[in-house]
């Protein structure tokens, strides 16, 4: 049996701190924050962990060459155990979402789970990879909006999806390194994402979203700027990590923009916590 620590490394457990904010931002935008929101957020975490386990199962032969220290190639987690864990977490995530949000939540959770597996098994190495992963995060935001005015959550979903596209594009070069043009493009994208997070708030809601969006842009943008100056693998990987752990600040800005300022601050607080935990278990 694999150790709990090995399973935590397999699913990049601390990186899940970047996940609940998707659902919260969607629920805040759609006006459906309530008792079911935590359960939908938990379902989202289960699906995220399922995706991480399925990712390592799909990449087990490549990781044996490029990342032999990972749980599967190092022999600490058997391939079958990783695949079984991924399947179990997927089923649990969809079931929890359905129990919490009914048929409407299921109509988002099932395509979300399909997109996660589609990315891991088919799309990741193709030109469509970043777009598919962006769709996963966009659907995650819309999962929180089910049961409310879902159309109002579309701008938040697009904003989170655009951020995810930048992180995924960088992640494809975190082992080999990149041309400086790649982090330069994603840095420009980050500036647009941060600006999009503060579009059209009510005047009495403008300050906090702007502050959190600026924090997000500074945190993630600085890592990308370092990768522009030195686009070797280590700097690119650090930028990917900053994009993952810095996402809660963006989610907090979107939540605050929807009028839930204190909740937005709580969501954003996961960013520094995730950064500290990433020093123990890599989020990439």
């Amino acid at each position: 049996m694999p150790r709990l620590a090995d399973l935590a490394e397999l699913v990049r457990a601390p990186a899940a701190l970047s996940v609940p904010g998707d659902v919260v931002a969607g629920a805040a935008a759609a006006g459906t924050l309530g008792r079911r929101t935590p359960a939908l957020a938990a379902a989202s975490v289960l699906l995220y962990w399922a995706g991480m386990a399925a990712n390592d199962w799909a990449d087990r032969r490549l990781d044996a060459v490029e990342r032999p220290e990972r749980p599967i190639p190092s022999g600490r987690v058997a391939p079958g155990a990783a695949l079984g864990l991924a399947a179990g977490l997927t089923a649990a995530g969809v079931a929890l979402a359905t129990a919490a949000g009914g048929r409407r939540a299921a109509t988002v959770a099932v395509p979300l789970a399909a997109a996660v597996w589609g990315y891991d098994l088919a799309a990741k190495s193709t030109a469509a990879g970043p777009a598919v992963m962006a769709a996963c995060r966009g659907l995650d935001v819309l999962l929180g909006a089910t049961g409310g005015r879902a159309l109002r959550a579309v701008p938040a979903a697009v904003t989170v999806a655009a951020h995810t596209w930048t992180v995924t594009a960088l992640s494809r070069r975190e082992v080999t390194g990149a041309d400086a043009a790649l982090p330069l493009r994603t840095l420009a994208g980050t500036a647009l994402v941060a600006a999009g997070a503060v579009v059209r708030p009510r005047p009495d809601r403008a300050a906090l979203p702007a502050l959190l969006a600026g924090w997000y842009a500074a945190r993630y943008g600085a890592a990308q700027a370092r990768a522009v100056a030195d686009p070797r693998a280590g700097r690119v990987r650090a930028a990917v990590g900053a994009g993952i752990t810095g996402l809660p600040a963006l989610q907090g800005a979107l939540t605050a923009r929807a009028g839930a300022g204190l909740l937005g601050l709580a969501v954003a607080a996961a960013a520094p916590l995730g950064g500290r935990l990433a020093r123990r278990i890599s989020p990439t």
Side-chain angles (χ1 to χ4, degrees), residues 123-142:
K124 180 169 51 179
S125 299
T126 72
V132 174
M133 182 53 71
C136 291
R137 282 288 192 169
L139 286 169
D140 207 28
V141 174
L142 294 178

Side-chain angles (χ1 to χ4, degrees), residues 18 29 41 65 67 79 117 211 237 243:
S18 73
V65 176
R67 296 183 176 186
W117 280 85
L211 177 65
R237 189 159 51 248

Side-chain angles (χ1 to χ4, degrees), residues 208-241:
L208 184 56
L211 177 65
L212 294 177
W215 182 26
Y216 152 79
R219 180 187 180 94
Y220 182 29
Q224 291 172 91
R226 288 190 288 269
V228 172
D230 178 8
R232 287 180 292 181
R235 287 287 177 88
V236 174
R237 189 159 51 248
V240 173

Side-chain angles (χ1 to χ4, degrees), residues 188-200:
T190 297
L192 293 174
V193 167
V198 294
V199 170
R200 298 180 64 185

